[in-house]
Amino acid sequence: MKTTSRVVVIGGGVVGASVLYHLTKLGWSDVMLVERSELTSGSTWHAAGGFHTLNGDTNMAALQGYTINLYKELEEITSMSCGLHHVGGLTLADNQDRFDMLLAERAKHRYMGLETEVFGPEQIKEFAPIINTDGIIGALYDPLDGHLDPSGTTHAYAKAARLGGADIVTHTKVIETNQRPDGTWDVVTDKGTIHTEHVVNAGGLWAREVGAMAGVYLPLHPMEHQYIVTDEIAEIYERGTEHPHVMDPSGESYLRQEGRGLCIGFYEQPCRPWAVDGTPWDFGHELLPDDFDKIEDSIAFAYKRFPVLETAGVKSVIHGPFTFAPDGNPLVGPIPGLRGYWSACGVMAGFSQGGGVGLMLAQWMVDGECERDTSAMDVARYGRWITPGYTLPKVIENYQTRFSVSYPNEELPAARPLRTTPMYDAFDNMGAVWGQQYGLEVVNYFAEGDEPRFETPSFRRSNAFDATAREVAAVRNAVGINEVQNFGKYDVQGPGARAWLDRLMAGRIPAPGRLSLTPMLSPQGRIIGDFTVSCLSETHFQITGSYGAQAYHMRWFMSHEPDGEVTLDNVSDRRTGFQIAGPRARDLLQAVTREDVSDMRFMDVRQLTIGLSTAIVQRVSYTGDLGYEIYVDAMEQRALWQVLWEAGQEFGIRPFGMRAMMSLRLDKFFGSWGREFSPDYTPAETGLDRFISWKKDTDFIGRAAAEAERSAPPERVSVAFEIEAEDADVNAYEPVWIDGKVQGFCTSGGYSHHLGKSIALALVPRALVSPDMKAEVEVLGNMCKATLLPEPLFDQSGARMRG
């Protein structure tokens, strides 16, 4: 066995083998994989082997498409069979909400180039006669759906990796992973020690245990999962073609042909977590005891949906564990704060996602960044606050909702509340309807009177509509108050602070007493951050960004770690406060401080005494109105609230939540992190290039790519549309039709309560943008007229915001 290697991948399942192959594909040959038993041990060998592209996150769907298309390439490279069966698949809908979800997914697929179709009951019956279509509204058909041989596919990855120079060592157990002072690693096995620059944890069922060796907690948990293979069924083996896949979400089941019979698996409600206190090291090729009791209801439902099952005998039962993360997506990428340690685990759908996971991780390691936004599977989407106590109920919830309708406004209840601010009880008593971000409870809106304290999940306008309109009116007509806890906040100090920020940020670093808006770019010029930089003094800055991207941003900050002349402190949960916004916001601010604020200009920042507290006050607001952000120590937030709330009564103050905030920002076409601004896009595409400081002489990260794009503008550009919508507004990724074909897509949208209009922000071909541009946006299967809006309809001159 080698004693040195550039990369050591721990774990020989399909994911570990994919990572190994993709590293060699991108040119790294000094790589090895270490497996405690045989390849495929763990979850891989007993997987049902199905694959599909359907995923609520478009980047995950695209990576699943990549994975599926990769298998033929593997077969060509290795001359090995992956046992591919491209039979196509149907996802059934038996109620309007589920059908709305399929329509929304079909719309996304149009711009992604995926050739899915919506079938009616008659087409379903023709395509898959064994389905009882009573009560079925329709189905989504995907020709790429199919299944494969899990063992053959994993060994094909492994052979392709070996052909690229990789080493694979089996029957070798990793005992320790120890980091040396220089940041490299010693991987200690029962056969010797391997010195390596990079460790990849692809431990699957044992990923928790492997992570613990390095002091890392990975939020994942194994769940028991059961599927059944039937005896021969005449309706199956007498068909001229192989039976397609069928997903029946209402029945919590998936079904496919297996030989001359059927394979059907279940995501049952009375599910069971497995190995709560740790995965036994001696587990590998075993199965769990059959347990028909927990799937009894699911089987009864399946008999009604697929009557041929009722008389079919059971040939075999496969009951084994799979690992899940709290949201069901993989945990991939560099572990924040730990150099050279990478995660590639929690990949529940290994044969749908394994190829994409391997490609993204290999690009991350070799090139320093990925070709697309990986936030949906980035291990940094969870912070240090996450615990096994949180992970377990969320994993159970995810398993139980695996086939549930996924609504754009849904707030899942498990493991909540966990993280709250000092205002939680006060807001709760005021009727707060809560959402969560990064584990934090955030007010979505306030219910009044007999309004329910729960927002009905829907693809259409929900029961939050009237409450949101009320809060928007309060901001636009008087003054609203909103918590600013859900901003990521970082304190940067020292004589080298300005130079460090100048290098990190593409925009201008402001003078003392001023603030600026700036993108942060990757070396390839993609947007990896959208920040407000506030200069409190020549050597002291506050930067604010997305709260949910804290670990992601801190990882980037620390990878470009400043020298001893700069200190960086994440104060997101120690510095909090409120924003006040609306035409009476200045009057309110003046009423709570003895200092004159009449000369405080737009984009000014000052330290003011507000009531009993010394506060950082910034004249800026995401509402697009006259507004201020007021930050204090978290211990003083309740005192600040009392001062603002009591003084605000004279000015008509009302609290508002995130639903109103997201409506208000549409009035000014303000983009949002994770929607308009993400690593999928560049500044020139989204309009953030107006905040780049081209005149500064710093070679900021991503400058060369941004300069190149400035010289040759990208083909697509962000625009705003007014949509002639009925009861459903744009959410994201709806296709934009121009000249009878899909030529763009929406990045976000919603209803502007102030303007009384449905608004969409979209990326479309730059060459097609003109005053008389004619377009349509497909919303839940309806073609809605889209009128280009060349400038915001609210406060066009900026008098309210800047005056």
Side-chain angles (χ1 to χ4, degrees):
M1 184 178 73
K2 290 170 53 176
T3 58
T4 62
S5 182
R6 189 173 193 176
V7 181
V8 173
V9 178
I10 302 173
V14 65
V15 174
S18 171
V19 171
L20 194 72
Y21 162 65
H22 281 93
L23 285 170
T24 63
K25 185 177 183 179
L26 296 187
W28 283 15
S29 58
D30 183 18
V31 296
M32 67 184 299
L33 182 150
V34 178
E35 163 57 42
R36 51 175 273 287
S37 182
E38 297 281 358
L39 295 181
T40 78
S41 298
S43 296
T44 296
W45 77 270
H46 62 73
F51 52 78
H52 57 87
T53 59
L54 187 64
N55 192 293
D57 181 273
T58 54
N59 277 308
M60 290 302 301
L63 290 174
Q64 289 174 196
Y66 166 81
T67 300
I68 294 168
N69 290 321
L70 175 65
Y71 293 133
K72 289 183 179 179
E73 177 183 324
L74 283 177
E75 290 183 331
E76 292 173 359
I77 292 171
T78 64
S79 299
M80 295 177 66
S81 172
C82 293
L84 294 176
H85 296 256
H86 280 288
V87 296
L90 295 170
T91 301
L92 306 178
D94 65 348
N95 60 56
Q96 189 59 50
D97 281 356
R98 197 175 300 283
F99 192 60
D100 282 349
M101 184 181 80
L102 298 184
L103 291 173
E105 291 303 311
R106 171 66 186 107
K108 293 177 186 177
H109 295 164
R110 290 193 198 279
Y111 91 85
M112 295 172 64
L114 297 174
E115 299 300 325
T116 56
E117 299 179 51
V118 173
F119 281 5
E122 291 184 3
Q123 289 173 288
I124 295 170
K125 195 70 176 176
E126 181 180 346
F127 193 66
I130 69 168
I131 298 175
N132 175 7
T133 56
D134 290 350
I136 297 294
I137 298 175
L140 184 70
Y141 169 66
D142 187 345
L144 286 180
D145 278 14
H147 57 277
L148 46 66
D149 170 23
S151 178
T153 300
T154 304
H155 282 277
Y157 273 123
K159 182 176 179 180
R162 286 191 180 101
L163 291 172
D167 286 319
I168 296 177
V169 180
T170 58
H171 298 285
T172 302
K173 181 182 177 182
V174 173
I175 301 170
E176 299 176 16
T177 55
N178 302 315
Q179 192 168 34
R180 294 184 179 185
D182 65 357
T184 61
W185 291 84
D186 286 326
V187 177
V188 182
T189 78
D190 57 2
K191 304 284 180 62
T193 298
I194 310 159
H195 180 222
T196 185
E197 184 180 348
H198 301 280
V199 173
V200 178
N201 181 348
L205 290 174
W206 296 268
R208 293 175 298 174
E209 288 71 28
V210 172
M213 295 177 187
V216 172
Y217 172 65
L218 291 166
L220 52 84
H221 203 288
M223 294 291 293
E224 297 180 4
H225 182 66
Q226 195 164 207
Y227 65 90
I228 296 168
V229 178
T230 73
D231 287 328
E232 294 183 352
I233 299 174
E235 290 88 342
I236 297 301
Y237 67 74
E238 290 177 354
R239 283 175 56 92
T241 58
E242 188 170 353
H243 196 278
H245 282 215
V246 182
M247 284 198 289
D248 182 23
S250 290
E252 303 164 347
S253 70
Y254 58 88
L255 175 146
R256 68 168 175 82
Q257 183 169 338
E258 176 68 21
R260 290 163 64 89
L262 289 170
C263 165
I264 183 167
F266 305 97
Y267 283 89
E268 69 285 353
Q269 293 302 301
C271 59
R272 292 199 184 100
W274 182 76
V276 173
D277 297 317
T279 302
W281 284 109
D282 59 356
F283 186 85
H285 281 274
E286 300 85 355
L287 289 173
L288 307 177
D290 300 349
D291 188 351
F292 287 99
D293 289 344
K294 69 173 180 173
I295 60 173
E296 183 179 1
D297 291 342
S298 298
I299 290 175
F301 195 101
Y303 284 169
K304 296 176 183 178
R305 183 71 74 214
F306 311 105
V308 296
L309 292 172
E310 198 163 6
T311 56
V314 174
K315 182 178 180 180
S316 60
V317 179
I318 309 297
H319 191 199
F322 290 87
T323 56
F324 293 74
D327 61 1
N329 277 342
L331 298 169
V332 180
I335 298 293
L338 199 60
R339 176 181 163 188
Y341 195 97
W342 305 78
S343 175
C345 54
V347 189
M348 181 276 301
F351 293 98
S352 290
Q353 300 173 342
V357 166
L359 175 66
M360 291 300 100
L361 190 67
Q363 288 180 350
W364 222 328
M365 296 175 72
V366 175
D367 301 328
E369 60 182 290
C370 306
E371 67 184 55
R372 62 176 63 247
D373 182 10
T374 56
S375 58
M377 64 178 180
D378 192 338
V379 67
R381 69 186 184 276
Y382 297 108
R384 294 182 177 179
W385 50 268
I386 199 166
T387 66
Y390 176 92
T391 298
L392 180 57
K394 293 303 285 187
V395 164
I396 292 172
E397 178 185 63
N398 179 264
Y399 186 99
Q400 292 174 325
T401 58
R402 170 79 176 148
F403 281 164
S404 297
V405 178
S406 180
Y407 298 95
N409 66 331
E410 187 171 28
E411 298 286 353
L412 297 172
R416 293 177 56 197
L418 171 62
R419 309 180 76 231
T420 62
T421 75
M423 288 302 299
Y424 181 81
D425 61 331
F427 282 157
D428 202 53
N429 290 333
M430 295 174 72
V433 178
W434 296 96
Q436 72 84 32
Q437 182 187 23
Y438 201 59
L440 174 73
E441 295 296 314
V442 178
V443 178
N444 280 339
Y445 65 96
F446 291 88
E448 294 184 359
D450 60 356
E451 293 176 340
R453 294 286 300 277
F454 176 77
E455 182 178 3
T456 304
S458 178
F459 286 90
R460 300 170 191 273
R461 293 171 188 161
S462 75
N463 61 323
F465 191 82
D466 292 342
T468 303
R470 211 166 44 226
E471 294 172 17
V472 165
V475 173
R476 290 289 184 243
N477 298 326
V479 60
I481 186 168
N482 172 270
E483 202 170 18
V484 293
Q485 172 66 19
N486 60 325
F487 289 164
K489 298 168 285 285
Y490 312 89
D491 197 79
V492 184
Q493 298 192 52
R498 176 177 292 277
W500 183 69
L501 287 171
D502 223 9
R503 166 79 172 137
L504 228 60
M505 303 293 173
R508 176 180 53 84
I509 306 305
R514 296 288 287 168
L515 58 89
S516 66
L517 306 179
T518 173
M520 184 169 70
L521 306 181
S522 73
Q524 293 180 14
R526 297 180 177 273
I527 301 168
I528 58 173
D530 169 36
F531 291 98
T532 299
V533 178
S534 307
C535 184
L536 307 178
S537 76
E538 187 57 40
T539 59
H540 188 188
F541 298 84
Q542 172 179 276
I543 57 177
T544 57
S546 169
Y547 185 83
Q550 280 177 68
Y552 171 81
H553 285 145
M554 281 297 293
R555 181 177 62 198
W556 182 258
F557 294 154
M558 298 310 295
S559 70
H560 298 83
E561 191 170 0
D563 57 27
E565 292 189 319
V566 183
T567 60
L568 169 67
D569 192 9
N570 182 356
V571 295
S572 298
D573 294 324
R574 286 178 279 138
R575 187 175 297 168
T576 187
F578 304 94
Q579 68 162 314
I580 54 174
R584 303 305 302 275
R586 182 184 290 111
D587 298 331
L588 173 55
L589 181 62
Q590 189 61 75
V592 295
T593 182
R594 297 177 61 86
E595 299 168 66
D596 182 14
V597 297
S598 63
D599 63 342
M600 191 171 182
R601 299 169 296 165
F602 180 62
M603 305 289 273
D604 270 358
V605 56
R606 294 181 185 176
Q607 289 192 323
L608 300 175
T609 300
I610 307 291
L612 303 174
S613 300
T614 299
I616 297 172
V617 181
Q618 304 185 160
R619 189 176 158 193
V620 67
S621 174
Y622 192 52
T623 67
D625 217 314
L626 170 65
Y628 304 86
E629 294 172 356
I630 306 170
Y631 298 91
V632 296
D633 187 288
M635 296 289 285
E636 301 171 16
Q637 187 186 22
R638 287 297 290 266
L640 177 64
W641 165 262
Q642 199 66 31
V643 168
L644 292 169
W645 186 248
E646 289 180 0
Q649 298 306 307
E650 177 185 349
F651 308 110
I653 193 170
R654 292 187 74 145
F656 68 101
M658 289 306 297
R659 294 286 186 263
M661 177 81 81
M662 297 308 283
S663 174
L664 290 159
R665 62 110 184 178
L666 291 173
D667 297 347
K668 297 285 284 186
F669 307 161
F670 286 167
S672 174
W673 177 253
R675 294 174 173 86
E676 283 67 47
F677 310 140
S678 85
D680 277 336
Y681 312 129
T682 65
E685 290 177 325
T686 61
L688 277 185
D689 54 339
R690 68 186 185 276
F691 297 116
I692 292 179
S693 178
W694 304 107
K695 294 181 179 179
K696 69 179 186 180
D697 57 9
T698 306
D699 185 21
F700 58 82
I701 296 170
R703 179 159 194 160
E707 292 275 14
E709 196 171 52
R710 188 185 186 198
S711 301
E715 293 182 357
R716 60 187 184 182
V717 65
S718 181
V719 298
F721 290 113
E722 178 185 343
I723 307 297
E724 291 188 5
E726 296 178 3
D727 63 342
D729 302 298
V730 162
N731 177 50
Y733 302 112
E734 292 84 353
V736 178
W737 293 75
I738 306 170
D739 297 332
K741 57 184 178 180
V742 175
Q743 303 205 57
F745 64 94
C746 297
T747 50
S748 73
Y751 191 78
S752 165
H753 288 273
H754 179 67
L755 300 174
K757 299 178 183 296
S758 186
I759 302 295
L761 303 181
L763 283 171
V764 300
R766 187 182 298 267
L768 299 181
V769 177
S770 66
D772 59 349
M773 178 182 182
K774 291 180 172 58
E776 292 179 300
V777 172
E778 183 180 348
V779 181
L780 300 183
N782 296 319
M783 302 300 288
C784 301
K785 181 181 177 182
T787 302
L788 185 70
L789 297 174
E791 57 185 3
L793 301 178
F794 169 74
D795 192 29
Q796 294 176 0
S797 67
R800 284 271 287 260
M801 186 172 67
R802 301 172 182 273

